[in-house]
Amino acid sequence: MRGTTEGKKGKKDFSKGSNRQAISVITVLSVVLLLGVLPEMLSAQGGGVIRGKVYDAQTKEPLVGANVFVRETSLGAATDLDGRFVIRDVPAGSYRVQASVIGYTPQIEADVVAAEGRETQLDFPLQSTAIDLGEVVVEANYFREIADAPVSAQTLSYEEIRRSPGGQEDVIRAVAVLPGVVQASAGRNDLIVRGGAPSENLYVIDNLEVPNINHFGTQGATGGPLSFINLDFVRDVTFTTGGFGVRYGDKLSSVMNIQLKEGRRDRLGGKLNLSATQFGLNSEGPLGDQGSFLFSARRSYLDLIFKAAGFGFVPEYWDFIGKANYDINRENELSFLVIGVLDNVRFFNDTEDQRFSNSRILGSSQDQYFSSISWRRLLSNGFMTFSLGRTFTAYDYLQTDSLLSPLFVSDSREGESSLRADGVFLLDRSLELSFGVQGKRARMLGDFAWTPTDDSFLDNPGITNLENTWDTTAYKANAYAQLARTFFDRLRVTVGGRLEYFNLIDDAFAAAPRLSLRYALTDLTTFTLSGGSYHQSPSYIWLLSNSDNTRLQHVRVDQAVLGIEHLLRTDLRVRVEGYVKYYDNYPASLEREYLVLANTGAGFGGAEEGFASFGFDNLVSGGEGFSRGVELLVQKRLSEIPMYGILSLSWNNTDYTALDGITRPGSYDQRIIFNLSGGWKIDENWEVGTKFRYGSGTPYTPFLSDGRRDLAYYNGARLPDFHSLDVRIDRRWNFTGWNLITYIDIQNIYNRKNSQAYRWDPRNQRVEAAGGTIGILPTIGVSAEF
């Protein structure tokens, strides 16, 4: 573990030293870059710039001559031969921008902020529509239709995520207000989507599938304390909570598709930022006449605060993002992406209290990097995309007892190289074909040593496999095809299939058929239906920490989603959906016959959960589950009425059956979830927002009088209900050539003492609350944009 007195041997091939040296060089270059471009950024004059592209949502073909105008002004532009537009000298303020062209449904983007020194990017993927010559043009609305996700999908813009109260400008926390989504703990990004485990969520960044987008991420799952995605570089986020198309797979519950913006093409620009947890700098600018770049470097200052406050557990992190786009010509575009992450944990064991407190923490230090290069080629009535990607994560785990003797030590590396090709073609006006193929080569090496004890806060399962070493190469592949046809200009039917392959398990292949329907009952009301099979391969750590676990199969979910959506206004919609999910082949423990691994993966893990999320047990694909629910969504977009908001109400019920044949509530089974998030844009300078969250209590396992968990009542008790209120106030200043944004964000403003877990205190021989909120939490943020 880095930063501790206990040294650890280095690992062959996957040296961390070279990664850290490279990132140190990047840090120096970023400072030099900022100092070099700052004079030019400060000398810029004039108002804001709105720049973007209008294209066909299906074929990506640029739409020439589309009209783009700022509705509150007389400003506008027409797209050029590449579908691009630029609107300059836009006075500082918040606007609605509309794009329209004959033969397509007009689209409005709200919450478009123009400011001195700032370039705002907008993309308009327009849906083709039937036109009758001489008829009135179709009215524009504020909600974008997602052809590949006809159900359970929501797109959030940069501005919607940025101003979310209590969201800390984190893309994951922003989607936690959507129906059917639960944060397993208020202080972490472990998303539970419609009863699924934290390991069931897929993250995609600019066409690159990544294992996790969080600092201090959980190995084998997808959660962590906070995201490393720099929100300033996010164009929009599409989050699908079920029923997604065959393009996505190897995950069961959700897909988060993050689209990063392009850099400025007119001049160099930048931003200095100080937020609740970190500070950093951004820079962007042109690459010749046909390209652009983005770069950011950020560092946390939590370690400074934690150390000053006397905490024995001190986390620190860095993250870096670089992106470049280059248009070879009108038909060919290249995109480059690189992300680097450094997470380090230090323990200070100077006092008895610190040693005891640290003995209850599984320390996790990590290095991560992700990179990709993509080529998109426009063809007649369609396009192809080719992507080469690389993901890598190095995990160092350490947990000691109060005498500083190691209980658990793990040092492992997981790296994947991928090559994929995707195509979409419009065969005729109403028939669309999409297809793709992907191959992955993974290299994993590592070791662990675990010393189970009989102390009061470790559930000792009696496992004899206490240490292991591995060095393994694995191969994954998938292929998919999908047809979508529109009938009578009202009914869209999509049918497709996906094939998965994973060589490390005995049953290597899995096939997944899927079907969806979308029917416009009227111009304002839409009925949706989706059903199909989804498969997910077991996590690498489950297979490699115990070599007998290769007998596992793909986890399978058969699910169906039924919904109806109605537009009350062009800026206000209501949606109701119901779903059912049947789980099969979930890994379950032979030693702990009550345990299904769907009940693991959230939180920091460690001894208090018996390291269950690592899959050290002897596992078989014998777990089953059933999740069902009904969800309500009411969403108001910012329009001429300067108010916005999301109201969501969900009823969910999730059960799992382990090898002992007993059906129990899932560990994250939160029956009632209510969220109300919204705000009021008082004027161009002031904005106030609020978010209220309520969730009924989740299951937990009670304790016996000697501190052992009462496994006869596994998940047999419920935690108290959770609720909190967050408030945020934003203030903007505009100066010549630059602007300043400040905010104050107060979380849990009425000081609710939420308890989200119980654990045994061996020193006082009693049960204590843990993992809850820490009371009122005010934070401030400042950013200067040039």
Side-chain angles (χ1 to χ4, degrees):
M1 176 65 61
R2 299 192 299 264
T4 68
T5 57
E6 293 292 328
K8 294 187 69 179
K9 61 183 179 180
K11 283 295 176 180
K12 59 183 178 181
D13 296 338
F14 288 144
S15 170
K16 289 188 176 182
S18 58
N19 296 334
R20 286 184 155 306
Q21 292 171 4
I23 292 179
S24 298
V25 171
I26 292 174
T27 305
V28 174
L29 290 176
S30 67
V31 175
V32 173
L33 178 62
L34 179 69
L35 294 176
V37 304
L38 191 57
E40 180 176 345
M41 294 188 292
L42 288 173
S43 65
Q45 301 290 325
V49 176
I50 299 176
R51 179 190 303 269
K53 191 173 183 179
V54 184
Y55 55 90
D56 186 291
Q58 294 171 293
T59 66
K60 309 301 181 189
E61 180 73 17
L63 297 180
V64 181
N67 294 313
V68 184
F69 65 95
V70 184
R71 290 184 63 145
E72 288 79 3
T73 73
S74 60
L75 300 173
T79 56
D80 60 17
L81 293 177
D82 296 322
R84 297 185 180 274
F85 67 90
V86 181
I87 305 174
R88 303 184 186 277
D89 300 324
V90 182
S94 181
Y95 301 99
R96 294 171 296 153
V97 180
Q98 178 173 323
S100 59
V101 66
I102 294 176
Y104 290 82
T105 302
Q107 182 180 316
I108 296 174
E109 288 293 333
D111 262 352
V112 180
V113 176
E116 291 281 347
R118 177 180 183 179
E119 180 183 87
T120 302
Q121 290 187 15
L122 295 178
D123 278 8
F124 290 93
L126 300 187
Q127 296 284 346
S128 62
T129 183
I131 58 171
D132 297 318
L133 294 178
E135 293 289 329
V136 178
V137 177
V138 178
E139 184 179 4
N141 69 62
Y142 292 77
F143 300 101
R144 185 186 305 175
E145 179 182 336
I146 305 169
D148 194 44
V151 300
S152 310
Q154 174 74 29
T155 297
L156 298 177
S157 67
Y158 158 81
E159 194 65 24
E160 288 174 309
I161 300 170
R162 184 199 66 80
R163 67 183 179 212
S164 175
Q168 299 179 2
E169 300 187 356
D170 190 311
V171 294
I172 297 181
R173 299 190 185 207
V175 304
V177 300
L178 299 179
V181 182
V182 176
Q183 273 183 280
S185 175
R188 285 181 56 89
N189 287 344
D190 303 303
L191 290 186
I192 311 302
V193 180
R194 291 181 171 174
S199 59
E200 297 177 16
N201 307 311
L202 175 63
Y203 297 122
V204 182
I205 308 172
D206 277 5
N207 208 41
L208 175 66
E209 297 178 0
V210 299
N212 202 328
I213 62 171
N214 287 290
H215 287 284
F216 304 100
T218 303
Q219 189 171 11
T222 60
L226 73 166
S227 170
F228 57 68
I229 299 298
N230 187 340
L231 181 61
D232 291 329
F233 291 172
V234 173
R235 189 182 71 202
D236 57 48
V237 174
T238 299
F239 190 60
T240 308
T241 56
F244 44 88
V246 295
R247 186 181 190 279
Y248 302 111
D250 206 20
K251 294 294 180 183
L252 303 176
S253 288
S254 75
V255 176
M256 177 178 286
N257 195 340
I258 301 172
Q259 293 293 320
L260 303 181
K261 70 173 189 176
E262 297 182 3
R264 298 188 69 142
R265 296 201 174 200
D266 57 341
R267 64 172 178 84
L268 294 171
K271 185 175 183 179
L272 298 174
N273 182 68
L274 174 68
S275 68
T277 59
Q278 64 203 4
F279 61 89
L281 61 89
N282 305 337
S283 61
E284 58 180 310
L287 290 176
D289 296 330
Q290 296 175 277
S292 65
F293 77 91
L294 298 166
F295 177 78
S296 77
R298 304 188 301 178
R299 187 197 190 280
S300 70
Y301 55 79
L302 289 177
D303 55 316
L304 307 178
I305 297 174
F306 278 38
K307 187 175 181 181
F311 287 96
F313 173 81
V314 180
E316 62 183 21
Y317 64 81
W318 289 82
D319 59 53
F320 308 86
I321 297 181
K323 179 182 177 180
N325 291 82
Y326 191 79
D327 299 331
I328 300 173
N329 52 39
R330 187 175 184 272
E331 291 79 25
N332 295 277
E333 177 185 345
L334 291 177
S335 177
F336 307 86
L337 175 67
V338 61
I339 299 174
V341 182
L342 299 177
D343 299 330
N344 187 44
V345 172
R346 289 182 293 161
F347 290 103
F348 296 94
N349 293 301
D350 302 323
T351 68
E352 181 181 349
D353 286 343
Q354 286 180 331
R355 289 190 292 272
F356 173 74
S357 177
N358 288 339
S359 72
R360 313 181 82 179
I361 297 171
L362 175 62
S364 171
S365 293
Q366 299 174 14
D367 288 348
Q368 303 178 68
Y369 72 80
F370 313 117
S371 60
S372 70
I373 178 171
S374 295
W375 168 38
R376 189 174 71 184
R377 166 72 175 174
L378 294 181
L379 301 168
S380 176
N381 294 321
F383 67 96
M384 291 289 299
T385 302
F386 303 91
S387 300
L388 177 65
R390 171 71 177 169
T391 67
F392 171 83
T393 306
Y395 299 95
D396 278 348
Y397 286 105
L398 173 66
Q399 186 164 9
T400 66
D401 61 18
S402 58
L403 299 177
L404 303 185
S405 298
L407 292 177
F408 177 79
V409 181
S410 177
D411 186 359
S412 63
R413 312 288 183 266
E414 295 180 2
E416 282 187 344
S417 299
S418 62
L419 178 64
R420 69 177 298 157
D422 301 276
V424 177
F425 290 91
L426 201 60
L427 302 181
D428 60 39
R429 177 182 171 276
S430 60
L431 181 61
E432 176 188 303
L433 169 67
S434 58
F435 57 90
V437 62
Q438 181 183 43
K440 292 183 179 181
R441 180 185 184 274
R443 171 98 183 275
M444 295 81 64
L445 61 84
D447 57 38
F448 80 91
W450 177 23
T451 307
T453 67
D454 293 323
D455 62 21
S456 57
F457 57 93
L458 172 61
D459 169 32
N460 182 357
I463 300 172
T464 58
N465 183 23
L466 302 180
E467 60 181 35
N468 198 5
T469 301
W470 58 91
D471 186 348
T472 303
T473 299
Y475 296 92
K476 287 185 175 182
N478 63 74
Y480 70 89
Q482 178 175 281
L483 281 172
R485 175 175 284 281
T486 302
F487 299 90
F488 319 115
D489 296 321
R490 287 194 174 273
L491 174 64
R492 181 178 175 88
V493 180
T494 304
V495 59
R498 182 181 177 93
L499 182 66
E500 305 273 5
Y501 170 79
F502 182 34
N503 75 310
L504 287 189
I505 56 179
D506 290 344
D507 193 0
F509 289 94
R514 299 174 197 172
L515 169 71
S516 67
L517 307 174
R518 184 180 181 92
Y519 181 69
L521 297 172
T522 69
D523 291 340
L524 302 177
T525 306
T526 304
F527 166 85
T528 56
L529 174 66
S530 177
S533 295
Y534 298 78
H535 295 88
Q536 180 172 331
S537 58
S539 298
Y540 291 136
I541 189 64
W542 299 352
L543 301 174
L544 300 175
S545 61
N546 186 337
S547 57
D548 290 337
N549 290 344
T550 56
R551 57 194 168 192
L552 293 175
Q553 304 174 44
H554 285 89
V555 186
R556 173 173 176 158
V557 167
D558 295 322
Q559 63 176 291
V561 184
L562 176 67
I564 189 167
E565 179 174 305
H566 181 71
L567 276 178
L568 297 173
R569 293 167 39 98
T570 56
D571 61 347
L572 178 63
R573 67 174 176 178
V574 178
R575 184 171 72 199
V576 178
E577 289 188 336
Y579 69 89
V580 292
K581 299 168 68 175
Y582 296 91
Y583 285 88
D584 197 11
N585 297 332
Y586 227 113
S589 171
L590 288 171
E591 289 82 12
R592 293 179 269 195
E593 293 189 344
Y594 58 87
L595 179 63
V596 180
L597 263 63
N599 291 323
T600 69
F604 292 96
E608 293 188 353
E609 66 151 20
F611 301 96
S613 62
F614 287 90
F616 298 144
D617 307 47
N618 290 297
L619 302 174
V620 294
S621 295
E624 298 178 349
F626 179 43
S627 184
R628 59 278 195 197
V630 179
E631 303 166 351
L632 168 68
L633 170 70
V634 181
Q635 183 178 15
K636 166 71 171 65
R637 282 265 164 85
L638 189 67
S639 61
E640 69 276 6
I641 301 175
M643 302 181 74
Y644 54 86
I646 290 177
L647 180 151
S648 66
L649 176 64
S650 307
W651 172 83
N652 311 277
N653 192 348
T654 303
D655 302 313
Y656 289 99
T657 304
L659 297 184
D660 60 6
I662 300 175
T663 298
R664 303 178 177 90
S667 294
Y668 316 114
D669 177 42
Q670 200 164 35
R671 299 292 173 85
I672 303 295
I673 310 166
F674 175 76
N675 293 286
L676 178 60
S677 177
W680 173 32
K681 202 168 186 64
I682 301 171
D683 57 30
E684 300 306 332
N685 298 320
W686 289 93
E687 185 173 349
V688 60
T690 185
K691 177 172 66 179
F692 175 76
R693 294 172 292 162
Y694 168 84
S696 57
T698 53
Y700 77 97
T701 304
F703 289 84
L704 298 169
S705 59
D706 62 359
R708 292 180 297 115
R709 289 184 289 183
D710 189 355
L711 298 180
Y713 294 94
Y714 179 78
N715 282 350
R718 292 265 172 180
L719 293 165
D721 293 354
F722 171 95
H723 55 86
S724 70
L725 177 67
D726 305 332
V727 176
R728 174 170 167 143
I729 300 174
D730 287 66
R731 173 67 164 94
R732 295 176 180 270
W733 283 268
N734 285 278
F735 305 96
T736 302
W738 67 289
N739 69 88
L740 183 70
I741 303 174
T742 62
Y743 68 83
I744 180 170
D745 192 326
I746 306 175
Q747 299 179 49
N748 195 20
I749 195 169
Y750 56 76
N751 200 27
R752 164 74 175 181
K753 303 297 184 182
N754 291 298
S755 297
Q756 295 188 271
Y758 290 126
R759 64 181 180 182
W760 182 256
D761 180 355
R763 294 202 296 188
N764 296 304
Q765 293 294 297
R766 66 184 183 188
V767 176
E768 64 178 10
T773 53
I774 61 175
I776 299 174
L777 180 61
T779 59
I780 61 172
V782 180
S783 62
E785 193 169 22
F786 304 93

